[in-house]
Every structure is written in C-alpha cells, then in structure tokens.
Amino acid sequence: MPEELISRKEIAPASIFCVGKNYPKHAREIERMEGIERQESSGSRPEPIIFLKPSTALETSGEILMPSFEGRPLSDDMHYEVELVLLVGSPTDGCSLEEASSLIRGIGVGLDMTLRDVQFEDRKKGHPWLKSKGFRKSALISDFVPCTPEMLGSNPEISLELNGRTVQEGRMKEMIHCPEELLHYLSYLYGLRRDDLIFTGTPDGVGRVSIGDRLSARLSLSGSGRGSAQEIRLEATVQEY
C-alpha cells in the first residue's frame, strides 16, 4: 500500500534552506552561462553553498508568477530548477551524521524558480542573491512522502517536464552533499526547526520559462518500507503577475 502523504498545505517552515551547485554537471552548466573559466579542484571537499528563501516564497497551489515592481518586470530570464526537497521533522541545534536521517520527516519534489539575469548581475556586483531567488511564489513544493532509511538508500530520482518535454533528470547519489550531510551541516550552523524545508540542489538542464508554460516535476521512489514504488508529482503553470 502507498504511504499516506503529508499535505503541502499543512507545512509552515520557519526557514527554507537551499543548496547551490550540489550536482557537478549543473555547477559546470552555471559556470558556462556566466562565462567563468573552470578552476582545477584543490582536492579538498568543499562546504555546501547555502542560501535562504523567505517563508513568503513558499507556493503550494502550483502558481508561478513573473515578478514585477510597480508595473515593471524584474526579469527577462526566469529559470526552472527541479529539486529533491527534505521536510525536517524535529528541531535540532546539532545532529550527528548517524542520526540525521531520523530527523527527515518526509521527502518531496520542488521548483526553485530563479531570475537568472538578476542573479548573474547581482553576483557581478557582489550583491546578495535574495532578489533573484526569494521573490513570492519562487519555492514550489509537492506533498511529501514519510521518509524511511530504506527510501533514502534507494537513490530517489527527480525529473522535470516543460510543456510535455523532459528537460531535467537526476538521482540523489549524484549530489555532492547527500541529505544526511546537509542536515548535519545546517543543524550546527543555523539550527533546524520542525517543518523547515531543505531544497537540495538541481541537476543540469535548467532553462527559461515563459507565460503559459506548464511544468510537471516528479519524484520517483522505491523502498518506502513496504517494498512499494511511489511517484509524487508537482504540477505548475507560469502566469502573468
């Protein structure tokens, strides 16, 4: 039998944590977009790249709006990013790697909508990413499947279709920093609270959306604890402000 889902409508996060460049191919993809010459790795393991979205960025009805201010659009280049999303189940100000998985209440799929032109311009100026990442309805989530260790070990897959065409695919084991590492790291630096969300990064294949586009994000799971496979979807459309 499928697991009973945790409704997205019932989730009220204190914090929405997001992980940047957590898939190697996407990291290279972004570097190419920015025209950055790739640096040779020093061999040391990098720390996770973390940024925040405000809780007001959360969207649960599948509506994506092109943001504007006083009638002026803020961007000409809004991008989709499909992500595996973790739902925190218990508060912690420092959990070990070993106990981290037990603090994940559920896993789902999300969309981290990004104003790419604004992001690149702000990075050139050394400004924060908040405007490009934290606008209203920029953090879309599905319902969540209650998490089990077996589920995480099954290497969940995420994918995204844009107007019926697959544009992104990735598996959890492709991440540079796995969910347990992320909880361990975030709990010590910032503290985690029940219902906090962690967007764990996007695979390569990000791209532009336009008014009227339809997005269908999918999370495919196996090993739910009862041996059953499960699929979670998030449907969204891009609308005018």
Side-chain angles (χ1 to χ4, degrees):
M1 293 289 292
E3 298 283 350
E4 184 177 349
L5 299 181
I6 302 165
S7 172
R8 72 194 87 178
K9 305 288 187 180
E10 300 173 358
I11 295 168
S15 299
I16 302 174
F17 296 96
C18 303
V19 186
K21 297 183 179 180
N22 201 25
Y23 286 76
K25 289 183 180 179
H26 173 63
R28 293 193 289 272
E29 174 181 60
I30 290 295
E31 289 165 358
R32 288 193 298 271
M33 288 182 184
E34 290 189 272
I36 296 174
E37 185 174 344
R38 185 167 177 78
Q39 301 295 317
E40 290 297 324
S41 172
S42 64
S44 60
R45 185 169 176 78
E47 289 189 28
I49 299 170
I50 304 297
F51 60 95
L52 284 166
K53 288 177 182 272
S55 58
T56 51
L58 188 65
E59 167 60 20
T60 59
S61 65
E63 182 181 65
I64 300 169
L65 296 179
M66 293 289 191
S68 65
F69 179 67
E70 296 183 343
R72 177 179 60 86
L74 297 184
S75 171
D76 294 320
D77 194 22
M78 181 192 281
H79 278 207
Y80 55 77
E81 297 186 9
V82 68
E83 309 207 7
L84 178 73
V85 184
L86 308 175
L87 175 63
V88 177
S90 301
T92 174
D93 290 318
C95 70
S96 68
L97 274 171
E98 292 72 24
E99 66 184 339
S101 63
S102 67
L103 301 178
I104 302 174
R105 181 182 172 204
I107 58 177
V109 65
L111 289 169
D112 167 15
M113 303 307 296
T114 302
L115 308 181
R116 193 70 71 196
D117 50 352
V118 176
Q119 182 189 37
F120 287 171
E121 185 62 28
D122 283 346
R123 278 160 57 142
K124 286 178 185 177
K125 296 176 180 178
H127 292 175
W129 292 7
L130 184 59
K131 184 179 176 182
S132 64
K133 288 283 193 178
F135 54 95
R136 289 189 302 114
K137 299 181 183 291
S138 63
L140 291 86
I141 57 171
S142 68
D143 294 330
F144 287 78
V145 180
C147 186
T148 66
E150 294 85 0
M151 189 180 293
L152 290 177
S154 72
N155 196 18
E157 180 182 25
I158 54 172
S159 63
L160 179 67
E161 293 180 358
L162 174 66
N163 298 324
R165 179 175 62 91
T166 300
V167 289
Q168 285 188 279
E169 292 180 296
R171 286 190 172 273
M172 196 183 75
K173 287 185 179 178
E174 297 170 26
M175 294 179 183
I176 297 170
H177 303 283
C178 69
E180 293 89 344
E181 289 179 90
L182 294 173
L183 261 79
H184 175 58
Y185 181 85
L186 292 170
S187 68
Y188 273 96
L189 268 71
Y190 309 108
L192 295 169
R193 298 296 175 261
R194 182 178 173 86
D195 277 2
D196 279 354
L197 297 170
I198 304 172
F199 281 65
T200 59
T202 193
D204 62 315
V206 301
R208 184 175 183 173
V209 296
S210 302
I211 300 296
D213 281 348
R214 295 173 293 105
L215 294 94
S216 180
R218 182 187 67 184
L219 169 64
S220 299
L221 297 163
S222 60
S224 64
R226 301 177 186 176
S228 58
Q230 200 159 0
E231 181 179 285
I232 305 299
R233 282 190 176 268
L234 164 61
E235 307 290 343
T237 57
V238 183
Q239 304 177 28
E240 283 192 271
Y241 187 82

